[in-house]
Amino acid sequence: MKRIFSRLVFLGLTAMVMLTSCNEDQSYADRLNEERNAVNAFLANHRVVMSVPEDTVFEVGPDAPYYRIDADGNVYMQVLNAGDRVNDKAKKNEPIYFRYARYNLATWYANGIWSQADGNENTMDAVSCSFNYSDYTLPSSSQWGYGLQFPLLFLGVECEVNLVIKSQYGYTSEISYVQPFFYHVRYFHSQI
C-alpha cells in the first residue's frame, strides 16, 4: 500500500512539475513572435525603407532610414558613413576587423530600458574582432552570423552602420535564444 501511495505521490509531483514548466516555457513560435514584436516596436520609431536602393546609394547619417537588407526582414541597416563604395569594397576572404556595441532589443521591448552593451566599441584594450569576408567555413567568421557581414555587400570597408539583426542572422551560438539585437558597428582593414 505504501508503495502504491508513494508512486501516486511521485506521479502527482511529476505531473505538477511538468504542467508548471509547460506554462513557464514558451514555444519557439512564441519566441519568434516576441522577437518580431520587439523589432517592429524599435523600427516604429524610425523611417524604414523596405528594400535596398536599386543604385545602392543609401541615405547617410543619424537621420537616415533603416533599410531592410534581406527579403525576410532579418537585418535592417542605417548607414552612418558609407565609406568608399566604389574603390574600397571588401574582397572575398579578406580579413575585416570591426568594433561594435550591441544591445538586446528583447530586453528593451520588455522593460523599456536599454541593456548594458556587449562588444569592444569603447575599450581600446579589448581584442579586435574580425571575420574573413564572405567565408563562413571558418569558425572565426561564422561565429558572428551572417548579419554583421551584410553591410559590406553594399558599402566600403571603412563604413559605420547601425544594424537590427534578428537571431537567425546573429551569433550562431545564440540562435536558439531568439533574441534580436541592435548593433553599432565600424569596419576596418587593419586591426586597431
Side-chain angles (χ1 to χ4, degrees):
M1 188 69 149
K2 284 185 177 182
R3 190 175 201 174
I4 293 173
F5 179 74
S6 62
R7 281 189 183 190
L8 286 174
V9 168
F10 175 76
L11 289 174
L13 289 173
T14 302
M16 284 178 35
V17 167
M18 289 176 66
L19 286 173
T20 302
S21 66
C22 287
N23 290 337
E24 291 177 0
D25 290 343
Q26 294 179 309
S27 71
Y28 184 68
D30 290 338
R31 287 189 224 156
L32 286 173
N33 194 32
E34 282 188 9
E35 178 181 54
R36 187 186 75 246
N37 290 340
V39 168
N40 289 343
F42 176 80
L43 292 174
N45 297 316
H46 303 278
R47 278 188 307 138
V48 176
V49 175
M50 297 307 284
S51 62
V52 172
E54 285 188 34
D55 59 3
T56 66
V57 176
F58 295 87
E59 285 184 51
V60 176
D63 296 324
Y66 279 82
Y67 294 90
R68 185 175 72 179
I69 299 301
D70 73 310
D72 297 324
N74 290 306
V75 180
Y76 292 84
M77 174 177 73
Q78 180 186 47
V79 181
L80 301 173
N81 176 353
D84 184 344
R85 329 180 297 106
V86 176
N87 300 311
D88 194 22
K89 297 290 285 179
K91 295 164 187 61
K92 187 171 176 71
N93 293 320
E94 177 184 358
I96 302 293
Y97 296 89
F98 63 97
R99 292 226 168 247
Y100 76 103
R102 75 175 188 153
Y103 302 86
N104 188 315
L105 279 177
T107 301
W108 168 81
Y109 180 65
N111 302 325
I113 57 170
W114 287 103
S115 62
Q116 179 72 24
D118 294 343
N120 64 353
E121 179 178 63
N122 295 318
T123 55
M124 294 310 282
D125 59 337
V127 176
S128 291
C129 299
S130 67
F131 53 79
N132 283 29
Y133 179 66
S134 199
D135 183 355
Y136 297 100
T137 61
L138 298 172
S140 60
S141 294
S142 65
Q143 72 178 335
W144 304 107
Y146 294 103
L148 279 176
Q149 292 195 30
F150 273 20
L152 298 177
L153 291 170
F154 311 102
L155 307 173
V157 173
E158 302 283 327
C159 65
E160 180 179 1
V161 297
N162 287 329
L163 297 169
V164 173
I165 301 178
K166 289 185 179 178
S167 57
Q168 292 174 210
Y169 284 67
Y171 289 11
T172 54
S173 63
E174 297 177 351
I175 290 173
S176 64
Y177 300 145
V178 192
Q179 305 246 324
F181 283 88
F182 169 83
Y183 288 78
H184 175 248
V185 188
R186 293 175 294 140
Y187 300 90
F188 306 95
H189 284 289
S190 61
Q191 186 172 350
I192 60 165

